[in-house]
Amino acid sequence: MSDLLNKQFRNNVYDLVAVIPSGRVMTYGQIATICGHPNAARAVGQIAHFGPSDLPWHRVVNKKGIMASGFVPGGKQGQKSLLKDEDIKVVDDIIVNFRELLWQPKILS
DNA sequence: CGAGTGACCGCAA
DNA sequence: ATTGCGGCCACTC
């Protein structure tokens, strides 16, 4: 049972991250909340760390709008480049207009 | 099986 | 406003 729930949570996170459009960012807390675990932001980070690299983790940042990843291929440098490549301006590792770029999905289907 | 870690968040002093 | 602490969840040792 618990295993299934854990798996579901992971699957949810994967799905959500995979749906993040280019030029948009999302916070761990937001993802965790939408997944059904409001305070499982840390878990999202763990899933991101051990999860597949097929997903745009570089669009996932912490509540401060700072790139917490740094673990993505290329390190923070690559991360910043990727974000900039998507019209996301980053200054001092902080996303500009982060509030505006924050993508809020309309409830998981 | 038990304990520790971590790409976090929120609240209290 | 800033700093410190706890709590939650998943994964590894």
Side-chain angles (χ1 to χ4, degrees):
Chain A
M1 223 286 265
S2 338
D3 288 341
L4 274 176
L5 289 179
N6 303 346
K7 198 172 173 184
Q8 184 91 45
F9 179 68
R10 270 196 307 169
N11 195 355
N12 256 346
V13 175
Y14 295 146
D15 222 1
L16 200 54
V17 176
V19 180
I20 300 177
S22 177
R24 266 319 122 76
V25 291
M26 236 178 137
T27 68
Y28 296 98
Q30 186 83 48
I31 296 169
T33 302
I34 295 168
C35 269
H37 294 262
N39 33 349
R42 299 194 83 168
V44 178
Q46 288 306 325
I47 293 169
H49 185 66
F50 293 97
S53 47
D54 301 49
L55 301 172
W57 299 110
H58 60 272
R59 292 178 191 149
V60 185
V61 292
N62 57 5
K63 253 309 194 183
K64 298 174 197 144
I66 305 172
M67 315 184 306
S69 350
F71 277 64
V72 292
K76 287 191 175 178
Q77 277 288 348
Q79 175 92 21
K80 204 154 37 163
S81 293
L82 282 165
L83 291 173
K84 280 186 174 180
D85 193 35
E86 303 194 351
D87 294 302
I88 301 177
K89 290 167 181 145
V90 181
V91 176
D92 199 19
D93 292 5
I94 305 178
I95 296 178
V96 184
N97 302 335
F98 156 69
R99 291 275 196 159
E100 307 279 325
L101 297 173
L102 184 61
W103 178 62
Q104 297 185 350
K106 30 163 113 179
I107 317 261
L108 203 68
S109 50

